[in-house]
Amino acid sequence: VANNGRYVALVSDSVYFTSDGFDTNDKTDVFLLDRETQQFYCVSQVARAIGNGDSTLDDIRVTSQGHLQVLIESDASSFSSKDQTNGLTDVYLWDAPVADLTNATLTLVSHANYFATGGSGALFGADKVYYQSTVNGLNQLNVYDLSSKSSQALAVTQGSNSVDLDLLGVNDAGTVLIA
């Protein structure tokens, strides 16, 4: 549920959430319900093309600038030209003005060398997205700056602890809780 209570995001493999029967990929997709208008939107799509992989929901919020933002993880290779061949699960930002949810963009957040490892996946924190990944066998905590549209690693774990990195929460000041 978004911070304003109006929007609810959910994950389903049902084809009945789109009024036009458009969801025909037989995969798990992320949907958005506008509780005020009772309208459903498919978040895991680009230019009305449903992704060719499974998608999961990580976080949702309404920004002070009037945008609805949803973080999803997907193994779809059809979402980004930068992610056609890595075969890994990536983090994407779905962003739309609240006034026109049909005018949404879907942006690859995790760099092609990163992929989400499950668990909490990705979370919003003020003007950043925090996500976990595994690169060359090492678990990392990464930050994607929404202004500069760039990612960087914040923490890297090694050895036997590398499988135990979990992103638990982020506050608006950017304090990250990991375990």
Side-chain angles (χ1 to χ4, degrees):
V1 179
N3 48 340
N4 69 354
R6 177 176 172 177
Y7 303 99
V8 177
L10 58 119
V11 176
S12 177
D13 59 1
S14 174
V15 298
Y16 300 109
F17 285 112
T18 56
S19 59
D20 57 5
F22 188 66
D23 182 14
T24 58
N25 68 353
D26 292 325
K27 301 287 184 178
T28 303
D29 295 303
V30 178
F31 296 92
L32 179 71
L33 168 64
D34 181 336
R35 293 175 59 194
E36 190 174 290
T37 66
Q38 295 299 304
Q39 178 77 31
F40 277 96
Y41 301 89
C42 185
V43 172
S44 51
Q45 68 174 338
V46 175
R48 294 202 36 84
I50 300 289
N52 61 357
D54 288 309
S55 299
T56 60
L57 172 68
D58 282 331
D59 205 0
I60 180 173
R61 72 174 180 183
V62 176
T63 69
S64 60
Q65 295 81 24
H67 277 246
L68 181 62
Q69 296 180 327
V70 181
L71 288 172
I72 66 171
E73 292 178 44
S74 182
D75 61 7
S77 61
S78 58
F79 285 157
S80 171
S81 61
K82 297 177 184 175
D83 184 38
Q84 294 292 315
T85 59
N86 74 359
L88 305 174
T89 300
D90 292 296
V91 177
Y92 294 88
L93 169 67
W94 184 89
D95 186 359
V98 171
D100 182 10
L101 296 181
T102 62
N103 190 21
T105 60
L106 192 64
T107 303
L108 178 64
V109 169
S110 56
H111 186 275
N113 291 331
Y114 300 128
F115 66 99
T117 59
S120 297
L123 296 171
F124 288 112
D127 60 346
K128 296 181 176 26
V129 172
Y130 296 85
Y131 63 97
Q132 58 193 42
S133 65
T134 302
V135 176
N136 298 322
L138 301 176
N139 279 343
Q140 293 184 183
L141 174 64
N142 307 283
V143 61
Y144 177 83
D145 186 292
L146 293 169
S147 300
S148 67
K149 299 183 181 343
S150 62
S151 288
Q152 69 180 46
L154 294 179
V156 178
T157 63
Q158 301 181 51
S160 61
N161 291 332
S162 66
V163 296
D164 296 327
L165 178 65
D166 286 317
L167 179 59
L168 301 178
V170 180
N171 69 14
D172 283 341
T175 303
V176 179
L177 180 61
I178 58 174

